[in-house]
Amino acid sequence: MSTVDISKTIADCEREPIRTPGSIQPHGVLLALLPQDLKVVQVAGDTQAIFGHSQQHLLGRSLRELGGSPALLQLTTQLNTAQFGARPVFVSHLRLQEFTFDVSGHLSEGLLVLEFEPRRAPDRPEPMELVQRMASAVRSTVSVAELLHCMASEVQRATGCDRVMIYRFDPDGHGHVAAEKRSGDNIESFLDLHYPASDIPMQARALYLRNWIRCIPDIDYAPLPIVPADNPLTGRPLDLTFSALRSVSPVHLEYLAQMGVAASMSVSIILGGTLWGLIACHHYAPHFIDCSLRSALELFAQVSSLQLATRLELDRGQRNAARRSIQDASLADLQEVGLSVLRRDAHRLIEVVGAQGMVMRIDGATFSHGHTLDETALATLLQWLDARRLKTILATDRIADLLKADGISLHANGIAGVLAMPLANVRDYAIWFLPELTTTVTWAGNPNESRPNADGRLTPRTSFAAWSEAMAGRSRPWEQDELDAAGRLRSALLEFAFLQIEEAARERESVQKRQELIMAELDHRVKNILATIQSLVRFSSKSAESLSSFTKGLEHRLVSMARAHDLLNSSRWTGASLHRVIAEELAAFCPSGADNLQLSGEDISLTPSAAQSLSLLLHELATNASKYGCLVVPEGRLSIRTERVLNDSGISLIRLEWLERNGPAVVKPTRRGFGRLLLETVYEHDVSGGGVSLHFEPLGVRCQIDLPADRIVTNPDQQAVSHNV
């Protein structure tokens, strides 16, 4: 038969009415009653053996009309007081015809469905005691693998089944036996075998999600029909979604028969509203599991599902923490090393996303680590990524098929999975690789052997010997945790790139502002120097007695300015030491080591304009002292002291006090020469906020010079270009 025909038959299988089969398994009896009067409207099973009445006798009668049986009267009373819903609840242990039955009930499409199953409970603990013991064993496990094995072991011990498996659904829908417990070594092991998704159709999975448990005590049963077939309230077959006696698909019975299984039970494992897997039980002879044990197993499955969800989340958190630790270790050096850290730590970053190889292209340079594409295939992939102008993370488990859709042939050299992450720069990427699943997946029989039979039904494959299918051109799917880890890495790299861009922009802005300020300062400085020279020339000429004295005075003042200029040059115009300015100006009058000069107080760094103005001021004071004051005679003494003070307005100042002693008697001058004009007027003009107070005392000249705080450089290592100079 063609592939199309098989696909059609599989679709037909998906439409099989597994919730409304119209029949039950023969080990019990089903009654469908009208809830208001408990009248029987549908029936299935051997009612004669249980109630002593035929099905026809029961139909249309209420339970009260079936005779004076104390057990039925007791059941009627219990039904009138019980609260029923869609899920079955245990009603009673009922003694009828010398047999004890477990009675459970639930509502289905307006009818109360009662199910009577013979009680065959062996010697075992009470259900709650059993669940507590089983749950305690599961809680004591320390890993997911150990937890799954414990679940299988506990269910096998409780049921006595020959084989109990934990059957986990993969992301692609296939099944995988993740844990197994067998009653003996003579029982064939199915551990680690894979089963195709078609083994459990979607409607069956949906049913497992609603009803936690399904039991088949004997696969060779002959189904017993429900009489009449349709629910009188709906006109449709009775919905047996939650019925323990529900008859099962003939395809599934054939499937079990081909495995040699005579009885089975499946219990759902549901995590967060999703069918994660099944606890699948097989027995090689008919095996009845009574109602109370099934209820205990259903409760155990629910408790274990919660425990498994917690353990999986914990494992996920630990894996993510390990990934973050690896990322943090690499990204810690990002500021110093830059993107080359990716190349240095490629082996770590491969581990972060669970890949087997990695390629990076940074600034046009490409390098690789681990199992990757060959050079030709990599060039093809990079060209394809460039053409797509990739802006987000791309993840695929079939890269060759992805390129083929764009008409590009890629010889992937055993690579199938690709996770490509664009970096900040255009055409820069980090790319991780996964190999094809040529590490074979071991199937429980060849899934391609399923074929429709003569009447069009799909029959199970006939061979369950291990069969391997190479998954050519396909890798395992990328896990969400791996994609999240790649996303976090990209965010960190983009943040680094943006910080680099911002830093470069700030640096450019700072350099530009610095250049503008320097140019403004130089312009201002040149203008000030020219204005000062102009003043020196004008006032020196007025006060000079002769051309030679004018020339000499001008020369000395220019030399004084030059000395201050040299001091500023030595500090790259960041400022000049006050004590050095004083020392330079007085060097010609008080040689180093001379005892006629005493300099004390705090040394500070002056802004360039303040240093130049103060140097001229000191020059005038020293010149006057050498002509008329304390520096004329050997016994003369000059004291210069600096200190921080507050003026009358509470403003912080640096005060320099010039004090002459032991010189000739001082006579207050009768006229105001250039030196005094420079002291009292020009300085105050050049140094805004500063001031000079000159006193001609009999014992010697005293001068007080105030410098405002904004003429002080707080950090001599930084340029003082921000001051008004």
Side-chain angles (χ1 to χ4, degrees):
M1 181 173 281
S2 69
T3 303
V4 175
D5 292 329
I6 293 176
S7 299
K8 180 179 181 300
T9 308
I10 292 176
D12 291 340
C13 189
E14 285 282 1
R15 290 191 293 270
E16 187 177 1
I18 61 174
R19 295 193 302 166
T20 56
S23 61
I24 66 169
Q25 299 179 59
H27 59 275
V29 167
L30 179 146
L31 299 181
L33 316 173
L34 294 174
Q36 59 271 25
D37 56 10
L38 300 182
K39 181 183 294 184
V40 178
V41 294
Q42 286 184 287
V43 63
D46 189 357
T47 58
Q48 189 70 45
I50 295 179
F51 300 109
H53 299 290
S54 68
Q55 293 180 352
Q56 292 302 321
H57 180 79
L58 295 178
L59 288 172
R61 289 182 169 84
S62 70
L63 290 183
R64 298 183 185 88
E65 298 175 292
L66 295 181
S69 167
L72 287 179
L73 292 175
Q74 177 188 352
L75 176 62
T76 301
T77 302
Q78 290 171 329
L79 293 178
N80 286 328
T81 58
Q83 298 292 322
F84 294 102
R87 294 184 178 276
V89 294
F90 176 77
V91 177
S92 160
H93 297 307
L94 193 65
R95 183 74 176 176
L96 293 170
Q97 304 293 328
E98 299 182 358
F99 294 101
T100 301
F101 294 88
D102 289 326
V103 183
S104 61
H106 69 280
L107 297 176
S108 177
E109 298 182 319
L111 297 182
L112 173 60
V113 177
L114 295 183
E115 296 182 273
F116 300 77
E117 298 179 70
R119 182 172 175 78
R120 309 177 191 180
D123 235 356
R124 68 164 65 93
E126 287 298 316
M128 286 306 300
E129 181 183 344
L130 178 64
V131 172
Q132 289 173 349
R133 182 186 61 76
M134 296 171 71
S136 177
V138 168
R139 282 195 298 271
S140 67
T141 60
V142 296
S143 68
V144 171
E146 186 180 347
L147 185 149
L148 296 179
H149 177 76
C150 183
M151 289 174 64
S153 298
E154 289 299 317
V155 173
Q156 196 278 329
R157 180 190 305 178
T159 62
C161 289
D162 290 328
R163 180 193 301 105
V164 175
M165 301 171 289
I166 304 298
Y167 183 88
R168 178 178 184 176
F169 293 116
D170 294 334
D172 54 10
H174 297 326
H176 170 225
V177 180
E180 178 186 68
K181 178 63 176 178
R182 294 172 290 153
S183 60
D185 293 339
N186 60 320
I187 304 299
E188 182 183 5
S189 175
F190 290 169
L191 185 63
D192 283 332
L193 291 183
H194 289 250
Y195 294 79
S198 59
D199 274 14
I200 303 180
M202 289 305 299
Q203 66 162 341
R205 297 179 192 226
L207 191 55
Y208 281 129
L209 194 56
R210 297 185 66 191
N211 191 353
W212 283 74
I213 196 163
R214 184 201 63 190
C215 189
I216 310 173
D218 185 353
I219 70 164
D220 289 329
Y221 74 87
L224 299 179
I226 296 175
V227 179
D230 293 336
N231 178 345
L233 300 182
T234 65
R236 299 188 302 269
L238 182 63
D239 187 334
L240 299 181
T241 294
F242 294 102
S243 172
L245 295 174
R246 175 176 56 86
S247 192
V248 297
S249 164
V251 174
H252 183 66
L253 295 176
E254 290 183 42
Y255 184 96
L256 294 172
Q258 296 292 349
M259 298 175 70
V261 173
S264 85
M265 182 179 67
S266 298
V267 188
S268 301
I269 302 173
I270 299 173
L271 307 186
T274 300
L275 184 64
W276 184 90
L278 298 171
I279 305 173
C281 306
H282 289 168
H283 203 69
Y284 289 97
H287 190 64
F288 185 86
I289 298 175
D290 64 31
C291 179
S292 61
L293 179 55
R294 292 200 311 271
S295 297
L297 292 174
E298 181 175 346
L299 180 57
F300 170 70
Q302 294 171 0
V303 172
S304 298
S305 292
L306 294 174
Q307 186 71 21
L308 177 59
T310 301
R311 189 63 52 81
L312 288 170
E313 186 61 29
L314 178 62
D315 279 9
R316 180 175 178 270
Q318 291 173 341
R319 288 195 304 272
N320 285 339
R323 289 188 174 107
R324 287 192 180 96
S325 177
I326 294 171
Q327 285 181 336
D328 292 346
S330 295
L331 297 177
D333 297 333
L334 195 59
Q335 295 292 338
E336 296 181 8
V337 181
L339 290 180
S340 62
V341 74
L342 297 179
R343 181 171 187 172
R344 186 195 71 185
D345 293 345
H347 62 290
R348 291 180 175 179
L349 299 178
I350 287 175
E351 184 180 348
V352 165
V353 298
Q356 292 195 11
M358 184 179 186
V359 164
M360 279 159 281
R361 186 169 73 180
I362 299 175
D363 295 332
T366 302
F367 50 93
S368 62
H369 186 87
H371 184 194
T372 67
L373 294 172
D374 60 31
E375 187 175 342
T376 302
L378 179 59
T380 300
L381 175 61
L382 289 172
Q383 289 173 3
W384 180 75
L385 291 173
D386 289 344
R388 288 173 65 97
R389 302 183 66 83
L390 192 63
K391 295 181 180 178
T392 58
I393 292 176
L394 178 144
T396 178
D397 60 354
R398 307 177 193 187
I399 187 60
D401 290 349
L402 203 58
L403 268 68
K404 186 177 180 181
D406 289 341
I408 300 172
S409 178
L410 179 70
H411 300 287
N413 191 30
I415 294 292
V418 167
L419 194 161
M421 183 178 76
L423 302 178
N425 295 331
V426 177
R427 298 187 175 184
D428 280 0
Y429 308 100
I431 308 172
W432 289 269
F433 298 97
L434 288 175
E436 292 180 335
L437 285 178
T438 48
T439 53
T440 57
V441 172
T442 304
W443 296 99
N446 186 340
N448 296 324
E449 286 183 2
S450 293
R451 292 291 183 270
N453 63 9
D455 62 5
R457 281 194 300 105
L458 190 67
T459 61
R461 51 194 179 276
T462 58
S463 172
F464 280 84
W467 185 88
S468 296
E469 178 183 16
M471 303 291 284
R474 179 178 176 183
S475 73
R476 68 165 179 81
W478 295 98
E479 296 182 6
Q480 187 59 49
D481 290 352
E482 295 165 346
L483 299 179
D484 292 343
R488 287 192 298 270
L489 178 60
R490 182 166 188 257
S491 296
L493 294 175
L494 289 177
E495 182 179 1
F496 166 73
F498 291 148
L499 289 175
Q500 292 290 95
I501 293 171
E502 289 180 359
E503 182 65 27
R506 284 194 298 268
E507 183 64 26
R508 284 195 299 271
E509 183 180 359
S510 176
V511 168
Q512 183 178 355
K513 287 182 177 180
R514 193 178 300 121
Q515 289 174 341
E516 291 173 353
L517 288 169
I518 289 174
M519 293 303 297
E521 181 182 346
L522 290 175
D523 179 66
H524 181 65
R525 188 175 298 152
V526 169
K527 290 178 180 178
N528 280 349
I529 291 173
L530 291 175
T532 302
I533 292 174
Q534 184 180 15
S535 297
L536 290 176
V537 171
R538 184 172 67 253
F539 289 111
S540 294
S541 64
K542 290 181 179 180
S543 62
E545 297 175 354
S546 64
L547 179 60
S548 60
S549 65
F550 161 71
T551 303
K552 188 175 181 179
L554 180 60
E555 178 184 357
H556 288 166
R557 287 169 177 136
L558 290 176
V559 168
S560 174
M561 290 180 62
R563 282 195 294 266
H565 191 274
D566 289 342
L567 282 176
L568 292 168
N569 271 341
S570 67
S571 67
R572 297 184 180 181
W573 287 83
T574 60
S577 160
L578 173 58
H579 284 190
R580 284 200 62 187
V581 170
I582 295 171
E584 290 288 340
E585 288 301 330
L586 295 176
F589 307 100
C590 304
S592 177
D595 59 3
N596 59 342
L597 172 64
Q598 183 181 4
L599 178 61
S600 62
E602 179 184 1
D603 189 14
I604 59 173
S605 183
L606 302 175
T607 62
S609 62
Q612 287 185 322
S613 297
L614 184 62
S615 67
L616 282 174
L617 232 149
L618 293 172
H619 173 76
E620 296 303 322
L621 288 171
T623 299
N624 185 75
S626 66
K627 287 181 179 181
Y628 313 109
C630 67
L631 299 182
V632 172
V633 295
E635 62 272 17
R637 295 291 181 269
L638 173 61
S639 171
I640 302 176
R641 185 173 182 274
T642 61
E643 62 178 339
R644 294 180 184 266
V645 298
L646 295 176
N647 65 9
D648 295 339
S649 301
I651 299 174
S652 177
L653 301 170
I654 295 295
R655 176 163 293 169
L656 183 150
E657 187 176 53
W658 172 289
L659 183 62
E660 299 180 23
R661 289 292 183 266
N662 298 342
V666 174
V667 178
K668 186 174 182 179
T670 57
R671 68 184 182 89
R672 195 180 190 196
F674 173 63
R676 188 173 177 182
L677 179 66
L678 183 67
L679 286 170
E680 296 179 342
T681 304
V682 176
Y683 174 78
E684 292 183 5
H685 178 269
D686 286 349
V687 182
S688 177
V692 176
S693 176
L694 185 62
H695 304 277
F696 296 95
E697 300 173 351
L699 297 179
V701 173
R702 180 169 62 87
C703 184
Q704 181 178 294
I705 304 169
D706 288 340
L707 285 163
D710 65 353
R711 298 309 175 104
I712 302 171
V713 180
T714 56
N715 184 354
D717 294 331
Q718 296 179 352
Q719 291 189 353
V721 294
S722 60
H723 297 300
N724 296 320
V725 296

